[in-house]
Structure formats: C-alpha cells, structure tokens
Amino acid sequence: MRIDVYLGMGELSRAKFAGLEFYAQNKLQLLCELRHLLNQKKGFTVVTPNIDFLSKIERFPSLKHICEQADFILCDSQPIHYLAKMSGVKIPKISGSDLIDDVLKLGDELEIGVVFLGGNDHTEAIIRKIISHKYKRITLMHVDSRTIDQNNQS
C-alpha cells in the first residue's frame, strides 16, 4: 500500500536564505512532491548547493541562473543549515547523497530517464554502475560531473 501526501509547492514550502529560495519541508514531503510531478509527466531540477557552491554563486552568473531555474534547492550541508538557523531561517538538511537512492527508486518504479550533473571525477562511473546493477528500469540520459575548474570557469 502506498500513500502519497501532496501539499503543493507554495510559498510555505520555501525559505529565503543567502539569496536563494531553499526548500523548507522535510525529505518525505519532498519525495511526495517529486512523485506528484513525475506522475503528471513533468520533470524537475534539484540543486543541492554546499557552502563552496554558495561562495561562488555571485561570481558565476551560470550558477545563479541554475538556482533561479531550479524547482527545488536543498540545503546540502551542515554549515548552511546552521548559518540559516542562526539567521532565524528554518531549512532542513537534505543532502543530495541522502536523497539519491530514494529518487533512483522512484525513477525505477516509474521507468523514467534521469540526468545527473555535478559530483567529482568518479561520479559518472559510480552512477552508471549503480543504475545498471540496481535500477534496471531507469534510462540514464546523461551524466556530467564537471565542476568549476581551477580557472574559475563554469
């Protein structure tokens, strides 16, 4: 038996911090919202900025644009979580690594295509191996593990 609770992506589910609109609900609610979008045949973009990402966002317009276009911006690090809390902003810590298995299970269940952006040099091989062994109904559309290089180009 599966129960989905969908409250919608209204203003109450967002909290502004460091110039970004962070998702302000818990992981379970996020997964329900993702399922809802996928059931409607809609895709989504999830951005999981860490503290290094936040430090570069104003210097690199492409990073800011990615965040502005994202459907969900998640707090990916304890430092961001604590800084927001000290500023009176409540955002849960939901890191990409905490979320990925659940999203892959959802993708496998619904037989969708997925795209992964970010990570490190080993991301692509790891993602391909996990999907080919554990999530056989997912179509891996693209993996791009490039990050901002030493010359500060995106």
Side-chain angles (χ1 to χ4, degrees):
M1 178 175 165
R2 189 182 88 212
I3 299 173
D4 289 337
V5 177
Y6 176 68
L7 299 177
M9 298 187 307
E11 289 182 24
L12 294 177
S13 65
R14 303 289 188 269
K16 191 160 187 140
F17 178 71
L20 300 176
E21 295 285 333
F22 280 87
Y23 184 74
Q25 301 298 318
N26 63 34
K27 181 179 162 186
L28 178 60
Q29 180 61 33
L30 173 65
L31 290 169
C32 289
E33 291 189 37
L34 298 180
R35 175 182 294 281
H36 178 77
L37 289 171
L38 291 173
N39 284 336
Q40 292 184 328
K41 306 291 185 210
K42 294 180 181 177
F44 53 83
T45 302
V46 177
V47 176
T48 57
N50 57 25
I51 199 78
D52 182 53
F53 185 103
L54 285 184
S55 72
K56 294 176 180 174
I57 199 166
E58 290 302 321
R59 292 183 293 162
F60 303 104
S62 60
L63 290 178
K64 187 167 187 112
H65 179 72
I66 289 168
C67 290
E68 289 170 349
Q69 299 303 310
D71 299 293
F72 302 92
I73 300 174
L74 307 180
C75 175
D76 194 297
S77 73
Q78 211 56 43
I80 294 172
H81 177 75
Y82 285 131
L83 288 170
K85 187 176 180 179
M86 289 176 9
S87 300
V89 179
K90 290 186 177 184
I91 52 175
K93 181 184 175 295
I94 307 173
S95 67
S97 58
D98 292 341
L99 187 64
I100 195 149
D101 198 48
D102 291 314
V103 170
L104 289 173
K105 284 177 189 172
L106 181 59
D108 194 52
E109 176 187 326
L110 299 174
E111 298 183 35
I112 63 167
V114 296
V115 175
F116 287 93
L117 302 173
N120 58 41
D121 293 340
H122 305 288
T123 300
E124 182 172 356
I126 292 167
I127 293 295
R128 289 189 187 283
K129 183 177 180 180
I130 289 170
I131 288 177
S132 68
H133 287 90
K134 191 172 179 182
Y135 303 103
K136 299 186 185 304
R137 295 181 294 179
I138 288 179
T139 302
L140 184 58
M141 307 296 286
H142 182 69
V143 177
D144 185 348
S145 59
R146 291 177 294 163
T147 56
I148 295 177
D149 65 25
Q150 265 78 11
N151 298 323
N152 291 324
Q153 299 175 9
S154 57

